[in-house]
Amino acid sequence: RDVTPRRDGRVDVLGLPRTRIRELFSRAGLDEKQAKLRAKQVYHWLYHRGAISFADMTDISKTMRPWLEERFVIGRPEVAEAQHSNDGTRKWLLRTDDGHEFEMVFIPDADRGTLCVSSQVGCTLNCTFCHTGTMRLVRNLTPGEIVGQVMLARDSLGEWPKGKMDVSDDADETEYRADGRLLTNIVMMGMGEPLYNFDNVRDALKLVMDGEGLALSKRRITLSTSGVVPAMARCGEEIGVNLAVSLHAVNKEVRDEIVPINRKYGLEELLQACADYPGASNSRRITFEYVMLKDKNDSDEDARRLVQLIKGIPAKINLIPFNEWPGAPHERSDWDRIQAFADIVYKAGYASPIRTPRGEDIMAACGQLKSATERARKSRRQIESEAGLG
């Protein structure tokens, strides 16, 4: 589905391409010429101006705006909770129109601002180091719910152009301006496996990359997969963004245990798909993500095996200190162990940055995302169980 049915019967236009908006306007009673014009105007207001109401669209006639309001709506996921980390990281718990919850995270740095976007409510993959993997999969997010995360972040960061659209001849056109961007990069690394929601993720990212949409370069977007091999080539061909692969282990036994999808698509198959990824080159390297788990995957031998595995693939290795969460079955590798691992990879000729944990105090770090109500339910169950009430 490309939209979530609403109780009030109106259709949400957020996340729809201009052709689909035109089709909906035409079906609602506008003639073809009017539908095309209104779709163009609405699309511009949605993605260039961040409008949240048809009433704000000042170049659409005053009689047309109520007609649009009656039949259509500009959705944004509802913000159920917003949290600020001590290090500047922000996390939002969002709620869909049909009552499901998911999270997104914004990570500011000196030279960039990265939005971590979710693709599903929950996840099916059950990776043992990931808190999200302990949730059940509820459903895929729609294109509007995926794009809506970017829109909400821009709302919160105050990044929409200011001033008026309907500028008169004698008005100062500098009133219409876009301030410096804080949100510069997007990573599809939030809740869910993006390639298990391929069509909706693709359609959402096309709006983000569209020069007449949100106009963010594909070079500033990274999609992270745990290794859904059949969809990887399609991702390169149909979306064309940077690829990150959650590797996390260098042999079948360990990867089968901590990334269960490995039992379906093994290491050899996965690495071949990486080698064949459309557009991969030394200037557009594949990022291999590797979470550092104490006494599980962090030995010098593991590092040397990793270097052998990725030989010939234009790549960099992101080493991720494990971010702990309540009940996690793993511990973070010691810092000197992580450093020694990184040195081996670096000396073999691969960039091996160690990711600085961000947002741990608000459970916003990599692998910690899980909707607050899921956590609260579990807490209540635990309390009742311990009290002999369960």
Side-chain angles (χ1 to χ4, degrees):
R1 57 183 177 181
D2 59 358
V3 294
T4 301
R6 290 175 56 89
R7 289 181 291 275
D8 62 10
R10 294 187 294 171
V11 178
D12 188 352
V13 295
L14 187 67
L16 302 181
R18 197 161 59 189
T19 51
R20 179 92 164 94
I21 296 173
R22 184 180 72 201
E23 175 193 308
L24 288 168
F25 287 178
S26 178
R27 200 181 296 165
L30 295 183
D31 65 48
E32 199 53 43
K33 188 177 175 184
Q34 274 282 317
K36 187 175 180 181
L37 170 65
R38 298 308 177 202
K40 182 179 180 181
Q41 290 172 314
V42 167
Y43 189 85
H44 180 88
W45 275 99
L46 283 176
Y47 299 113
H48 270 264
R49 306 281 296 188
I52 57 173
S53 163
F54 295 106
D56 298 332
M57 301 181 181
T58 50
D59 61 342
I60 294 178
S61 68
K62 287 183 178 176
T63 53
M64 175 57 65
R65 286 179 233 166
W67 185 91
L68 290 167
E69 292 276 6
E70 282 170 25
R71 294 162 177 80
F72 302 97
V73 67
I74 300 164
R76 290 273 202 283
E78 177 194 346
V79 177
E81 186 181 0
Q83 292 177 278
H84 247 94
S85 167
N86 295 327
D87 62 24
T89 300
R90 301 188 193 190
K91 183 174 80 169
W92 292 267
L93 175 68
L94 306 177
R95 189 175 292 126
T96 65
D97 192 60
D98 56 350
H100 298 302
E101 293 180 340
F102 59 100
E103 294 183 329
M104 73 171 185
V105 174
F106 178 71
I107 306 161
D109 281 306
D111 59 345
R112 66 170 60 191
T114 302
L115 186 69
C116 184
V117 173
S118 292
S119 56
Q120 297 179 308
V121 181
C123 189
T124 58
L125 292 177
N126 304 315
C127 299
T128 61
F129 53 84
C130 181
H131 205 196
T132 314
T134 63
M135 293 176 66
R136 65 190 178 92
L137 176 69
V138 179
R139 69 166 172 82
N140 288 332
L141 293 177
T142 65
E145 289 160 350
I146 295 167
V147 172
Q149 295 170 69
V150 185
M151 314 291 270
L152 273 174
R154 282 204 165 166
D155 292 347
S156 299
L157 297 168
E159 289 203 342
W160 298 108
K162 299 172 177 62
K164 296 180 290 186
M165 272 282 286
D166 53 341
V167 179
S168 61
D169 292 340
D170 57 349
D172 179 4
E173 292 195 20
T174 58
E175 277 191 84
Y176 178 72
R177 68 190 188 278
D179 293 344
R181 289 275 179 253
L182 294 172
L183 197 168
T184 62
N185 293 67
I186 289 174
V187 292
M188 296 300 304
M189 294 183 187
M191 296 167 65
E193 165 56 66
L195 296 186
Y196 276 154
N197 186 16
F198 185 92
D199 290 353
N200 289 351
V201 167
R202 176 199 58 207
D203 294 350
L205 290 180
K206 282 187 172 179
L207 296 173
V208 172
M209 297 183 287
D210 183 4
E212 295 182 11
L214 287 164
L216 195 68
S217 164
K218 67 181 180 183
R219 292 182 177 273
R220 292 186 170 274
I221 302 172
T222 299
L223 182 147
S224 176
T225 179
S226 290
V228 185
V229 169
M232 286 169 63
R234 278 187 73 199
C235 178
E237 290 157 5
E238 297 181 33
I239 308 176
V241 294
N242 302 313
L243 184 70
V245 174
S246 295
L247 193 61
H248 307 311
V250 295
N251 61 57
K252 174 176 168 52
E253 293 71 32
V254 176
R255 198 164 193 268
D256 279 356
E257 177 192 342
I258 66 175
V259 188
I261 194 175
N262 195 68
R263 296 170 199 156
K264 191 171 187 180
Y265 308 113
L267 272 171
E268 195 173 307
E269 200 179 347
L270 173 60
L271 292 166
Q272 188 59 52
C274 292
D276 297 340
Y277 187 69
S281 66
N282 285 328
S283 60
R284 292 195 69 198
R285 293 171 296 171
I286 288 173
T287 299
F288 287 101
E289 296 165 310
Y290 197 95
V291 64
M292 301 299 295
L293 304 173
K294 189 171 185 176
D295 300 328
K296 179 64 70 174
N297 64 356
D298 62 352
S299 70
D300 286 355
E301 182 54 38
D302 288 322
R304 286 190 282 268
R305 171 84 174 136
L306 174 59
V307 169
Q308 286 301 310
L309 279 178
I310 64 173
K311 203 169 186 177
I313 299 173
K316 75 170 185 177
I317 316 297
N318 254 356
L319 298 177
I320 307 168
F322 174 60
N323 298 304
E324 297 185 9
W325 39 270
H330 302 290
E331 292 179 52
R332 177 182 292 179
S333 300
D334 296 333
W335 189 254
D336 57 353
R337 181 88 301 272
I338 297 173
Q339 196 68 61
F341 193 104
D343 287 345
I344 291 170
V345 176
Y346 178 74
K347 283 172 183 168
Y350 294 95
S352 53
I354 300 169
R355 187 183 293 173
T356 305
R358 300 288 300 272
E360 286 185 289
D361 56 320
I362 57 169
M363 293 286 285
C366 184
Q368 289 185 321
L369 298 191
K370 184 172 181 180
S371 82
T373 52
E374 281 268 341
R375 282 195 293 270
R377 282 190 207 107
K378 186 172 181 184
S379 298
R380 282 197 297 274
R381 282 200 302 271
Q382 286 172 337
I383 290 165
E384 288 170 0
S385 174
E386 286 162 13
L389 302 173

